[in-house]
Structures are given as C-alpha cells and as structure tokens.
Amino acid sequence: MTLALLAVPLVAALLALAIPSNRWRPWLIPVAAGLHFGMTLITVFAGQPKFPTAWISLDPAGQLVLLLISTLYLVTSFYMTGYLRYHAQRQNRVFVSCLLCLLGTMTLITWARHLGIMWVAIETTALCTGPLIFFNKTPQSIEATWKYLLIGFVGIALALLGTLFLAYSSLHAGLEPTLALDELLLHAPQLSKPWLHSAFVLMLVGYGTKMGLAPMHTWKPDAYGAAPGAVGTLLAGGVTSCAFLCILRIYQICCASGDFAFISPMLIFMGLLSMAVAGVFMVGQQDYKRMLAYSSVEHMGILILGLGLGAPALFATLLHLINNGLTKGVLFLSAGNIHRSFGSTRSTVVRGALHRLPVSAGLFLAGFLAITGSPPFGPFISEFSILKAGFESGHFVASGLFLLFLLVIFIGMGATVLQVVQGQEPEDAPRTAYREGVLTIAPPLLLLGLVLVMGVYIPEPVKVLLQNAAVFLEVRP
Amino acid sequence: MNTWFNTLLVLVLALNLFALGTSRLVTMIKIVSLQGLLLGLMPLLIEDHLAVTSALASILAIFLKGMIIPSMLLRAIRDVHIKREIEPLIGLLPSMLLGALVTGFALLFASSLPLAEGDTPPLLVPASLATIFCGFILLTMRLKAITQVMGYLVLENGIYIFGLLLVEAMPLVVELGVLLDLFVAIFVVCIMVNHINKTFSSLDTRLLTSLKE
C-alpha cells in the first residue's frame, strides 16, 4: 500500500507525458487523485498505522497531513479539469505531469521519517511547482516563478545545512551520526546543544521560507498572484502544510531534548511577526489574489504561534492546519472563478461579483468569513482554542497581540472582499467567455461544506486522528 | 592523505575569490565547475576504507557538478548571447575583498566552534562556511539571473563540504536525491533564464520588479 500510494501519482505523471490528447489528459488528475484518496483512507482509518521501514513510515502527524493533502487534492483535481478545459488551447502536458508529481512528493514528505529523505522530497516539490506557477506564461508569471525558485532554493539550502548540523550534533555527542527520526528522538537528550540550536534556527528559517513565514514570505504574494487559483490552493493548503510538518519534526526533536524553553519564544515571535506583516499589507490591498497570499502568511504565523505555545495549544494548532487548508481551498478556487470572469485581480476593476457570479462570489464571501474566524466555521474553533491556550498558559502579551492582529486583518481583508463582491458592476467591466459550471463550482462548495462540518462537529475519526497526533508530538524529555 | 585534502580545500577557497573577481560568465562557469570537480574528489581522499556506495556518489558528483551542469549553463548563456556581468551591485575588487574578509572571519570563527573530538580535518568547517558566505555574496550582489544561479551553486558546494563530515548519516539514496534535485533545479533554471531573456530582452533581474506593493 505504501509503495502504491507513492507510485500511483508518479506513474500517472509519466502517463501524462505519454498521452497525446490535450483534451483528455487532464482527466488523469482526478483518476490518480481518486485512487490516492481511496488508499489514503484505507491506510489512515482501516489498518493499524504500519511502520514498514524505519525511514519510510506513517506516524500520526504524517497521517493527519496526508489526509489533508489527499482530500484537498481530490477536490481540486475536478476543478483543475474544468480549468484546463477552459484553457484548452494551451499545451498542458508539462503542467499535468508536474501536478501529479507534486502529489507524489507531498505524499513522500508525510511518510518520510528520515530527515534527508524529507529534505529531498521538499526540494522536489519546489521543482514541481515552478512550472505550475509559470503556466500562464505572462511576464508576471515569469517574474513570480523566478522569485519563487530562487528564494525557495536558498531557503531549502539553508534547511539542508540545518539538517547537516542536526546530524553533526549527534556526531558531536559521540553517537553514530544519523538523520533517522527515531534514533534522533531516542538520543535527543544527549545531542550537542549548540549544534542542535543552530540546526533548529536554520531549519526554521529554511522550511519557514517554504511555509512563507515573514520575513521570508516575499515570494508568496507574487507566486499566488500569478499562479492559477487551483495551484494556489495546492500551494497554500498542501505544500505549506508539508513544510509545517517538517518544522514539526525538528520541534519534536527539540522538545525531546528538553529545549522547548529555547525554541518557544522564537516560534511565538516568528508567528506574531508573520501576522503583523500580513496585517500591514492586507489593509488597503487592492489585489484580491495577493490578499489571499497575505492571508496565507497570517495563518502560517498562527500555526507557528500555536506551536510556540506548546502542548496546551497542540491539538488546536493541528486542527487549525486542517481548517486553514480546507478554507484556503474555498477562497482560492472561488477567487480563481472571479478572476477568470473579469480577467483582472484588481478590486478597483472587479466589483459587484455577486451579480455576475452569484455562487462564486457567495463562496468567496463565506470563505472570507470562515478564514477570519467567524462562527460557525472551523477556523473559529481552532483560533479560539489557540487563544484560550495562550491565555491559560500565561502568554498574555502574545495572546493580546494575536487578538489585535486578527481584528486588524478582519477589517483589512473585509474591505477588499466586500469591494469585490458587493456594489454595482461597472459598465465597462471586462467580461470573458467564462460561465460558472459544475466543475468549477462544486469543488469549492464541497470544501466549504467540510469547513462548516469542522466548525459544527468534528467527525469522530478525525478527532481521534488529531488527538493521536497531538499526543504523538507531545514528547517529554 | 590529509595534506592532499587540505590542498584541495585551499584551492576551493581560492576559486571562491576568483569567482567573485571575474566578470566573464564563461570563466565563472568554469571556476564553479572546477570547484565541483574538486569537491567530488574529496570523499575519495577523506576515507581510509572507501565504500562502493560513497565512491559511486562521488563519481556521480564529479560527473554532474564538473561536467553536466556547467555544459547546461554554457549552453544557456550561448543561447541568450550574454558574455559578461557588466554592472554588479558592488564592484569586482570590493566583492573579492569582501570574500577574503568572510574567509578570514570563517577561519577565526570556526576555531571557536565546538567541534567533535577526533580527526576532523582542521580546514573543513571554515572552508565550508567561507564557501557558503561567498555564495551568498554572489547571490545578492550580482544582478544577472545567471550569475545568481552560480551563487546558488557555490552555496550548495559549501554545504556539500560540510556534508563530508557526515558521510555515514547520509545514505546513498539521499545523496543521489540531493544530486538529482540539483540537476533538475539547474535544468529548470536554464529554461527560466531563456524565458526571462525572451520576454524582457535581458537577464537583468532589476527588470523583474513589476510585482510589488
């Protein structure tokens, strides 16, 4: 099953290169995604978690992220076929192939329990997503891809250096140098502190670049602005979640070595900084796709902040990981529809979207309410629980700032979103041939339904999964 | 064996400075490829009992960093008709001096690092740090897209040197994965360089500023 889970997307990617028809090729994506999702459900829920080898196995944290990306990918895959049908004249061979590769490498990240393999997998996601951002082949998308690749490569290179430092910390302690997670966790208390600490900093910066934490977030608005909406979903909900999983690994090692007091202030600071930067750029933001990118920066900040609060906030943080991924899907997919109909991402041009695209604009509005933490949606529960954990653990300043930033972001984001969806459509507003269809409407609708379910009642199996993951990560030295 | 190894490290450090001091792109690619070649030789020298797997990895590294990647880069600059980095952000001589400065700093700094007991070659950690710093200088102080890629390669080389300390921790799969990723990365970057040149009629990254707040 493990092998099949990894192999299906990669085989499909090769098939995509071989299929000559531009029209039928995109249907390979939902087929592969469906198979992947089915196998994911079997692996995660049916069987006991299997540990096939020490390096490649699925632990509770990996299960959670795997379930998230597989769900998100399946839903997005149908949208993708609708999108590629609309752009039927464009050659999509490389695009489809890279998209399928991306699923394979993201899966590998969730399975990897060897930090070297994890690193290779995350570098490969960067290589797969480059061509995806580039799909529109406009000067903007070239610029965005270049920045994404260069900043991403440097960030990941730093993460590699951090990974090597981690291995060196075991060598320095007189152990056999290793990067296998099990052995590192076992010997965590003996690891050499200075090397472990610098490894943590480098990996936080490196994988944080991939997550889009401020101040390494600069590629994010460009890339999300230029990429197709569905790719934005996979980046904001999938790749960032995988990068967060990488940070969870080093977090776990640091906790096991008794260094939580050292890393906690750093995580809290990075989290709040990301939220602050996102808030500053969201107020008065006139490009609604860039606005979504800053929203992603904000939520990555919330995740890191939650991690910094430690064990009391762990469950809520993992819940927020799921909620953020699903809600980002609603937002990016509906924003993609609006973009396609108006041909612009400027809120000065796009107005009155509720009249032209009632469903998409409605979804965009609901997605905005959900992501900013309004009840009854999922993010409300997770953000509120993080806040509660913050106050209860005595982080009054951090929790106060958290609340303040949430408020600022709500106002800033609300102004732009309302401008887009409400009001009268201008006479001279551009209009393309795009009409709302089942393939581009049903996926975000389904995701919104999931977000709502997560807010009203977390399904029992998911809850168990979250609890297992939180307990698994909650290691004591 | 250690003298040979140290000689190679000194050569790598000298190549850093050369790379910082040249404006001709062809020369720079050749310098970086020579550096990659020397790095590939190092595992063969450092280990007393050479395992087949690490020999394989180092031969692959020599092949990739010393031959394939440079030839891809040479083709890329031939396609876009660019020979020189005309106007770096800071001059060639100042950047060479800066490179020398960070090398000296790395040598001083490394002596205060808590290194593991045993026979770590004394120059290895400072050489790695200095190469990483020089890579950063190239990345940030040059404006042509292709030179920035060269900076990334130098940075990667610096990390590779540090990795020599940890051959046991890196299984062959991972080493091959790292090399393969590097290869694909340069491949993708070369395609992008071509597109940048076609769209903007230049490789000057200052033109890539339409996306901002």
Side-chain angles (χ1 to χ4, degrees):
Chain A
M1 192 65 91
T2 317
L3 204 62
L5 208 53
L6 291 169
V8 161
L10 299 179
V11 170
L14 287 178
L15 264 179
L17 288 176
I19 292 178
S21 160
N22 213 31
R23 189 154 158 243
W24 293 110
R25 193 183 300 120
W27 284 100
L28 205 58
I29 310 171
V31 171
L35 280 173
H36 187 271
F37 184 67
M39 287 191 291
T40 300
L41 286 186
I42 295 173
T43 342
V44 173
F45 291 121
Q48 284 294 312
K50 298 209 175 47
F51 291 77
T53 69
W55 292 352
I56 304 280
S57 71
L58 200 60
D59 56 44
Q63 284 178 344
L64 197 68
V65 178
L66 180 64
L67 186 65
L68 170 67
I69 56 172
S70 191
T71 312
L72 203 60
Y73 197 95
L74 178 67
V75 177
T76 315
S77 67
F78 289 100
Y79 183 94
M80 206 67 91
T81 51
Y83 173 79
L84 289 173
R85 182 190 283 173
Y86 179 71
H87 288 295
Q89 74 291 356
R90 268 185 224 159
Q91 185 55 248
N92 59 30
R93 189 187 297 263
V94 176
F95 183 82
V96 172
S97 183
C98 284
L99 205 58
L100 288 162
C101 266
L102 179 64
L103 180 61
T105 52
M106 286 198 299
T107 311
L108 182 57
I109 295 170
T110 59
W111 281 83
R113 283 185 61 76
H114 184 282
L115 298 179
I117 295 177
M118 186 179 84
W119 184 88
V120 169
I122 204 137
E123 164 97 356
T124 318
T125 60
L127 297 173
C128 298
T129 37
L132 300 182
I133 299 170
F134 182 56
F135 183 61
N136 287 323
K137 293 199 172 54
T138 55
Q140 286 83 8
S141 69
I142 292 179
E143 180 184 337
T145 314
W146 181 255
K147 286 181 181 167
Y148 174 76
L149 286 176
L150 211 64
I151 297 175
F153 286 164
V154 174
I156 301 174
L158 289 180
L160 177 62
L161 190 64
T163 310
L164 291 177
F165 277 14
L166 191 59
Y168 195 77
S169 77
S170 61
L171 180 74
H172 189 255
L175 308 163
E176 185 80 358
T178 179
L179 282 173
L181 204 53
D182 296 324
E183 286 175 50
L184 282 170
L185 283 171
L186 191 66
H187 299 296
Q190 287 122 280
L191 295 178
S192 148
K193 294 286 176 211
W195 290 100
L196 178 63
H197 290 175
S198 32
F200 172 78
V201 172
L202 282 170
M203 284 166 89
L204 180 64
V205 170
Y207 292 126
T209 310
K210 205 75 193 110
M211 264 177 94
L213 293 173
M216 297 86 71
H217 68 287
T218 47
W219 58 271
K220 213 166 192 178
D222 300 346
Y224 289 12
V231 174
T233 306
L234 295 180
L235 283 170
V239 178
T240 51
S241 303
C242 290
F244 182 67
L245 182 65
C246 298
I247 293 182
L248 279 179
R249 303 294 189 207
I250 178 78
Y251 165 86
Q252 203 183 1
I253 294 171
C254 284
C255 285
S257 76
D259 278 306
F260 179 71
F262 170 78
I263 62 171
S264 162
M266 265 191 277
L267 290 168
I268 292 178
F269 175 76
M270 286 292 273
L272 288 174
L273 181 70
S274 301
M275 291 185 74
V277 167
V280 167
F281 284 102
M282 259 159 138
V283 173
Q285 179 60 252
Q286 296 204 321
D287 185 315
Y288 57 85
K289 268 178 127 176
R290 291 176 75 87
M291 176 197 77
L292 292 185
Y294 285 114
S295 168
S296 176
V297 174
E298 174 213 347
H299 287 272
M300 292 305 119
I302 294 179
L303 289 176
I304 288 294
L305 172 71
L307 212 53
L309 295 175
L314 215 43
F315 180 86
T317 306
L318 294 172
L319 181 62
H320 194 66
L321 182 72
I322 304 281
N323 285 333
N324 170 57
L326 297 175
T327 318
K328 279 285 150 28
V330 179
L331 281 165
F332 273 98
L333 297 183
S334 55
N337 287 344
I338 298 174
H339 180 192
R340 216 156 304 122
S341 174
F342 284 83
S344 168
T345 56
R346 311 293 300 177
S347 63
T348 44
V349 179
V350 183
R351 276 161 194 276
L354 264 177
H355 289 281
R356 193 190 288 184
L357 304 166
V359 186
S360 297
L363 281 168
F364 191 53
L365 190 60
F368 149 70
L369 289 174
I371 202 75
T372 46
S374 322
F377 297 105
F380 168 71
I381 309 282
S382 45
E383 283 175 18
F384 187 77
S385 313
I386 292 176
L387 187 68
K388 188 160 156 278
F391 276 117
E392 279 176 1
S393 59
H395 292 91
F396 296 109
V397 179
S399 308
L401 284 172
F402 174 61
L403 208 55
L404 175 74
F405 294 147
L406 279 182
L407 192 69
V408 170
I409 288 165
F410 180 81
I411 296 169
M413 198 170 170
T416 313
V417 171
L418 292 178
Q419 220 173 6
V420 169
V421 297
Q422 284 190 327
Q424 271 302 315
E425 199 180 307
E427 294 289 317
D428 55 345
R431 185 180 275 273
T432 62
Y434 171 75
R435 296 285 174 279
E436 288 184 327
V438 178
L439 281 176
T440 50
I441 288 301
L445 204 59
L446 185 65
L447 286 175
L448 187 71
L450 290 178
V451 175
L452 195 60
V453 168
M454 291 298 283
V456 179
Y457 168 74
I458 305 172
E460 203 52 41
V462 178
K463 200 170 184 174
V464 171
L465 210 58
L466 281 163
Q467 274 159 350
N468 285 347
V471 170
F472 167 74
L473 289 169
E474 216 176 298
V475 275
R476 292 264 168 270
Chain B
M1 155 279 224
N2 236 333
T3 41
W4 274 105
F5 187 72
N6 280 335
T7 320
L8 283 188
L9 283 175
V10 172
L11 271 176
V12 166
L13 287 175
L15 287 175
N16 284 338
L17 299 185
F18 273 129
L20 284 169
T22 180
S23 71
R24 278 176 52 84
L25 289 177
V26 176
T27 318
M28 197 183 269
I29 292 175
K30 284 184 179 155
I31 290 170
V32 175
S33 73
L34 183 60
Q35 200 177 39
L37 203 101
L38 295 179
L39 291 182
L41 285 175
M42 284 179 186
L44 302 175
L45 290 175
I46 200 171
E47 279 180 68
D48 304 325
H49 46 283
L50 193 64
V52 181
T53 48
S54 56
L56 194 74
S58 86
I59 288 167
L60 199 74
I62 293 174
F63 195 55
L64 208 65
K65 290 189 173 182
M67 290 170 217
I68 298 184
I69 288 178
S71 67
M72 280 181 349
L73 288 169
L74 283 173
R75 235 187 92 165
I77 61 165
R78 200 183 57 220
D79 288 349
V80 298
H81 306 291
I82 286 181
K83 289 204 174 67
R84 282 173 187 279
E85 169 88 35
I86 309 279
E87 30 180 3
L89 210 58
I90 59 169
L92 295 174
L93 195 62
S95 42
M96 247 176 114
L97 287 176
L98 194 61
L101 207 69
V102 295
T103 309
F105 170 74
L107 283 166
L108 282 178
F109 178 64
S111 63
S112 64
L113 280 179
L115 292 179
E117 309 280 316
D119 52 358
T120 311
L123 260 179
L124 196 141
V125 176
S128 156
L129 292 176
T131 310
I132 291 170
F133 288 139
C134 288
F136 263 117
I137 297 175
L138 273 176
L139 254 171
T140 48
M141 298 300 166
R142 298 289 191 270
L143 298 165
K144 289 265 190 295
I146 196 102
T147 336
Q148 293 178 340
V149 176
M150 240 82 87
Y152 171 68
L153 280 175
V154 173
L155 174 68
E156 175 90 28
N157 281 347
I159 296 174
Y160 184 90
I161 300 178
F162 194 87
L164 291 176
L165 280 174
L166 302 157
V167 188
E168 298 95 330
M170 295 290 256
L172 184 66
V173 199
V174 176
E175 276 203 52
L176 294 185
V178 172
L179 283 174
L180 187 70
D181 272 345
L182 185 69
F183 166 71
V184 181
I186 301 299
F187 179 72
V188 172
V189 156
C190 285
I191 295 175
M192 287 310 297
V193 162
N194 223 324
H195 278 288
I196 292 175
N197 190 56
K198 243 192 269 171
T199 313
F200 297 93
S201 310
S202 160
L203 282 186
D204 193 332
T205 47
R206 276 173 301 179
L207 294 171
L208 299 176
T209 48
S210 69
L211 298 174
K212 60 181 173 202
E213 296 310 328

